[in-house]
Amino acid sequence: MNKRVLIALYGKSASGKDTIAKAIVSKLPEITHFVVSATTRPRRENEVDGVDYHFLTDAEMLKKIMNFEIIEASTHKWVYGTLDSEIKADKINIAVLNMEGIDILIENRDIEVIPVMIQTSDKTRLLRSLQREDNPNCNEIVRRFSADQKDFENQPFEPKIVFRNNNEDDFNYAMQELSKIVVQKYGRK
């Protein structure tokens, strides 16, 4: 049995993980699938249920976890998780996950997880955070920056690949290299 393949992008908030993930899926739609995570956190401006996240109540999330529909879940103020149905067998799955989720999925014998870290300078991250919404919640931005500082002190695993994402050249390089990995992995399925 072939394992399902999951390229798991992770990094600090506003590092460009979602932008890279969605760009790869847009570039290679026939062979990739964007994994939409589930969360109990409130929806931000411009976010769409089922596109950006599956927005669930606490009770809905708990029910899915208890029914083994969620294959990994972790709490960072709110609960985040991955629905098993989101990991497709016939495509290369592209997901944005936190380190706890990736660490759990690495142990899953049915999934080949390729952790890819996205690194971005704090200045670039801050500017992106402020520009993300018309009325950014500065307290939430500060909370996420503080949480990132703590979360990234001790990584439970080593990334297979690390990409910088501070500017357009970095983004283009990451896209080029990730595209090669996707095509290579798809050819092995």
Side-chain angles (χ1 to χ4, degrees), residues 119-172:
Q119 291 182 334
T120 307
S121 73
D122 287 345
K123 179 180 178 179
T124 300
R125 292 175 46 235
L126 179 59
L127 290 171
R128 287 177 183 166
S129 294
L130 290 169
Q131 294 166 352
R132 180 182 281 168
E133 301 175 43
D134 290 336
N135 299 302
N137 181 336
C138 292
N139 290 328
E140 178 60 15
I141 292 169
V142 169
R143 185 199 66 76
R144 289 198 322 258
F145 267 65
S146 295
D148 284 342
Q149 200 65 23
K150 181 181 173 196
D151 292 345
F152 281 82
E153 284 176 358
N154 298 304
Q155 292 188 52
F157 54 86
E158 288 295 317
K160 294 265 197 276
I161 305 155
V162 177
F163 291 117
R164 286 187 317 271
N165 189 28
N166 290 306
N167 54 48
E168 192 173 340
D169 288 341
D170 290 346
F171 175 82
N172 290 336

Side-chain angles (χ1 to χ4, degrees), residues 36-39 43-44 46-56 60:
V36 179
S37 295
T39 186
R43 194 179 326 187
R44 291 187 192 130
N46 304 320
E47 286 183 326
V48 177
D49 186 32
V51 175
D52 299 294
Y53 283 97
H54 295 287
F55 292 98
L56 305 175
E60 290 169 332

